[in-house]
């Protein structure tokens, strides 16, 4: 099965219980990439983890985790010490604080507490979803706008979606 890339954006409201909906286009790609029958509960699972470097969350389909494991294994092998030991932090940072999260037919899932805290996603509040090819990033919009290396075009899109929904930060 050929994987589809994640593309698209969406500003979504997070309710007081931490529930948020994955935007439709991103949700459809998650389900397609799962390899499970369309519309099945097995297709409605995403891996949710902390970003390796940035203060946001990352979501992707479960089969992508296998290719991530291969890349982490290669990275560990490239950075072995003189006794052949690897750097355990390669795995800790690469896998992050990850877990599978199930989402319903409308894309709603609950952001786990530790992950919400990592990305500073408030309950209630907003989450900005950004498809970046191999994965989906989930940001607190204020954090995204303040991030020093975030491309201006992404910031402009976020500001547009905030204005469109009449959200002030």
């Amino acid at each position: 099965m050929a994987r589809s890339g994640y593309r698209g954006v969406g500003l979504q409201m997070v309710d007081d219980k931490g529930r948020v909906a994955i935007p439709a286009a991103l949700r459809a790609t998650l389900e397609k990439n799962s390899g499970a029958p369309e519309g099945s509960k097995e297709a409605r699972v995403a891996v949710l983890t902390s970003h390796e470097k940035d203060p946001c969350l990352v979501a992707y389909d479960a089969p992508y985790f296998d290719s991530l494991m291969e890349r982490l294994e290669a990275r560990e092998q490239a950075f072995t010490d003189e006794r052949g030991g690897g750097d355990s932090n390669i795995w800790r940072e690469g896998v992050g604080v990850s877990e599978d999260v199930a989402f319903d037919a409308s894309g709603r899932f609950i952001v786990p507490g530790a992950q919400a805290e990592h990305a500073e996603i408030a309950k209630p509040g907003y989450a900005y979803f950004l498809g970046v090819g191999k994965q989906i990033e989930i940001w607190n919009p204020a954090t995204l706008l303040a991030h020093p290396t975030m491309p201006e075009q992404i910031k402009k899109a976020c500001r547009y979606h905030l204005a469109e929904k009449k959200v002030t930060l």
Side-chain angles (χ1 to χ4, degrees):
M1 173 190 82
R3 286 184 83 243
S4 292
Y6 296 101
R7 61 183 185 274
V9 296
L11 178 67
Q12 302 292 88
M13 188 164 65
V14 180
D15 71 14
D16 59 348
K17 294 181 181 176
R19 292 179 298 212
V20 65
I22 303 164
L26 297 171
R27 179 174 70 245
T29 304
L30 273 169
E31 290 186 32
K32 178 185 176 288
N33 287 345
S34 74
E38 186 177 332
S40 69
K41 286 187 177 185
E42 294 80 22
R44 294 190 195 126
V45 175
V47 177
L48 187 67
T49 188
S50 50
H51 190 281
E52 194 170 341
K53 295 179 182 174
D54 292 327
C56 68
L57 301 177
V58 173
Y60 47 82
D61 50 279
Y64 178 70
F65 187 75
D66 294 335
S67 65
L68 174 64
M69 295 273 291
E70 290 172 10
R71 286 195 318 279
L72 291 172
E73 180 73 30
R75 192 186 310 172
E76 182 184 38
Q77 294 301 315
F79 291 97
T80 56
D81 61 22
E82 63 280 352
R83 296 183 63 195
D87 181 353
S88 297
N89 283 331
I90 288 172
W91 287 93
R92 292 178 186 125
E93 293 169 349
V95 175
V97 180
S98 64
E99 60 185 276
D100 290 350
V101 293
F103 54 92
D104 66 17
S106 64
R108 286 185 317 160
F109 70 97
I110 297 174
V111 181
Q115 292 175 339
E117 189 170 307
H118 167 76
E120 298 178 357
I121 295 175
K123 300 183 276 187
Y126 287 88
Y128 193 71
F129 287 74
L130 176 63
V132 292
K134 61 184 176 181
Q135 59 196 17
I136 302 164
E137 293 182 352
I138 307 169
W139 289 82
N140 171 321
T143 304
L144 182 146
L145 292 171
H147 198 278
T149 63
M150 183 63 64
E152 189 55 36
Q153 67 181 2
I154 304 296
K155 290 180 180 185
K156 283 182 179 180
C158 183
R159 285 191 289 268
Y160 171 83
H161 287 99
L162 288 164
E164 183 179 54
K165 291 190 177 184
K166 298 176 176 48
V167 174
T168 55
L169 302 177

